[in-house]
Amino acid sequence: MAKLNVAPTKSNLLSIKEQLAVSEQGYELLEQKREILVMELMRKVEQVKLLEARIDKCIEKAYPSLRNMLLTVGGDRVERIAHAVDYSFDITEKPQVIGGMNFTSLDVTLPRRELFNSFLGTFPDSDEVMAHFFNLLTLLTQMASIRTIVWRLAMEVKKTQRRVNALDKMVIPQDKETVAYIESVLEERERDNVFVLKSLKARQGGRND
């Protein structure tokens, strides 16, 4: 690792030592941040796995119930039932802080469930189908939020790791080598000065004799 191109002076030595101390402190803080982010990322990944399992189970119920309804009453009647049902829902943003980072998750507010059995020729199967798909909507919204958070956490972990590596492999070794170089030069100068002073004293002592 090449040292910094600076003059070997005491002022530069103090400056580089201060820079080295800041770099080492920054490395420790970034390493702690990276560990926290990795822990949060792994926790979110586990949430994704659990949510995927719930979504799969919901799909296993929702689409077969819709298929059975289509086979029972026909597509035209299902379409008429769908147009007759007015279900509105709200999707709101909810801020949260994870690992010191600000995120926004989505929250679905479903309407109060109503039974449309016997309304315009509907029947209990239609209520079952709607219940399954509204549950699926909630799960998919949660999945979208968590996946977005996972992606951002992964990018932040990658960025933090690059900064940690830069400090560990480049900045800190370079500063240490520069400090060692300047100290060696200053020590050599000090020895030269001591030698010169001794020589001058020796000459002065010889003249006095």
Side-chain angles (χ1 to χ4, degrees), residues 16-174:
I16 299 300
K17 281 186 174 181
E18 290 178 359
Q19 179 177 308
L20 176 59
V22 172
S23 297
E24 289 176 336
Q25 184 179 16
Y27 171 81
E28 293 177 0
L29 292 175
L30 284 173
E31 183 64 20
Q32 292 175 9
K33 177 183 177 181
R34 187 191 67 81
E35 292 177 358
I36 292 173
L37 289 173
V38 169
M39 289 175 58
E40 294 291 349
L41 177 60
M42 297 307 296
R43 184 159 54 184
K44 287 298 178 183
V45 168
E46 287 301 317
Q47 290 181 13
V48 168
K49 292 180 180 178
L50 293 174
L51 199 53
E52 285 177 342
R54 292 178 61 189
I55 289 174
D56 289 341
K57 290 182 180 179
C58 187
I59 289 175
E60 289 175 0
K61 295 179 180 178
Y63 283 96
S65 64
L66 176 60
R67 182 172 59 251
N68 291 336
M69 184 178 175
L70 289 170
L71 292 173
T72 302
V73 302
D76 292 339
R77 188 176 176 189
V78 169
E79 187 174 356
R80 288 198 302 272
I81 294 173
H83 286 301
V85 176
D86 183 17
Y87 256 133
S88 60
F89 55 88
D90 296 322
I91 297 180
T92 56
E93 295 182 349
K94 184 171 60 178
Q96 58 178 309
V97 178
I98 301 174
M101 297 177 61
N102 294 319
F103 294 93
T104 300
S105 61
L106 298 179
D107 190 20
V108 177
T109 303
L110 296 177
R112 183 176 60 86
R113 284 190 57 187
E114 298 178 11
L115 296 179
F116 288 88
N117 184 21
S118 300
F119 176 68
L120 291 180
T122 62
F123 50 99
D125 285 356
S126 61
D127 293 318
E128 181 182 355
V129 171
M130 284 187 287
H132 288 320
F133 275 94
F134 273 114
N135 187 31
L136 181 59
L137 171 63
T138 302
L139 295 176
L140 290 175
T141 304
Q142 293 175 7
M143 177 63 81
S145 296
I146 295 178
R147 282 189 177 275
T148 301
I149 292 173
V150 166
W151 180 80
R152 285 190 57 195
L153 281 173
M155 294 300 294
E156 189 66 22
V157 168
K158 187 176 180 180
K159 182 172 69 174
T160 303
Q161 185 64 57
R162 284 200 301 265
R163 295 173 66 184
V164 167
N165 290 340
L167 287 171
D168 186 41
K169 305 300 182 183
M170 294 180 58
V171 177
I172 292 177
Q174 191 174 54

